[in-house]
């Protein structure tokens, strides 16, 4: 029996949201948003693998749209960047924004290269 796409996305999303919460609980982020940075880099790598490795559509929906979609967080990244700026740390805000973009792009590139080697 085939699971409807919306249920696949919802189930993956539930897992991604819980994982995101757990990372936020265990990765220290008082002075710098390390948890969100880690979440977005790991999520970018995972989504990159799902996109560059030939997987069934159901897997792409469950892992890519559901789990990675709920795990990664552009909104938290944006708010944290502004909060760093507001707290008098414009250099840290800029480094965080640029570092997140570059790290996530690099993670997708590594996933692409890994997929090319393995598949």
């Amino acid at each position: 029996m085939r699971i409807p796409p919306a249920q696949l996305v919802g189930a993956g999303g539930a897992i991604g949201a819980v994982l995101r919460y757990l990372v936020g609980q265990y990765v220290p982020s008082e002075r710098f948003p390390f948890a969100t940075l880690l979440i977005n880099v790991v999520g970018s790598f995972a989504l990159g693998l799902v996109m560059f490795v030939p997987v069934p559509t159901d897997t792409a929906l469950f892992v890519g749209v559901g789990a990675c979609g709920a795990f990664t967080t552009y909104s938290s990244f944006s708010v944290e960047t502004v909060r760093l700026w507001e707290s008098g740390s414009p250099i840290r805000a800029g480094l965080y924004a640029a570092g997140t973009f570059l790290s996530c792009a690099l993670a997708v590139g590594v996933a692409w290269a890994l997929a090319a080697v393995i598949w």
Side-chain angles (χ1 to χ4, degrees):
M1 176 172 94
R2 188 170 184 317
I3 300 172
Q7 289 179 354
L8 286 168
V9 171
I15 291 168
V18 170
L19 288 174
R20 177 174 157 197
Y21 169 78
L22 291 172
V23 171
Q25 293 299 299
Y26 293 104
V27 175
S29 296
E30 291 79 36
R31 294 188 44 111
F32 190 83
F34 289 110
T36 302
L37 177 62
L38 176 65
I39 286 165
N40 286 333
V41 171
V42 169
S44 293
F45 176 78
L47 183 59
L49 279 180
V50 170
M51 294 294 104
F52 298 121
V53 171
V55 298
T57 300
D58 286 354
T59 302
L61 289 171
F62 179 78
V63 176
V65 178
C68 290
F71 183 64
T72 59
T73 170
Y74 189 79
S75 56
S76 293
F77 156 73
S78 300
V79 167
E80 289 166 346
T81 301
V82 171
R83 283 190 175 157
L84 282 170
W85 186 280
E86 286 180 334
S87 72
S89 301
I91 292 173
R92 274 198 294 180
L95 289 173
Y96 177 56
T100 295
F101 174 76
L102 292 173
S103 298
C104 290
L106 180 62
V108 171
V110 169
W112 172 75
L114 183 62
V117 169
I118 295 173
W119 284 270

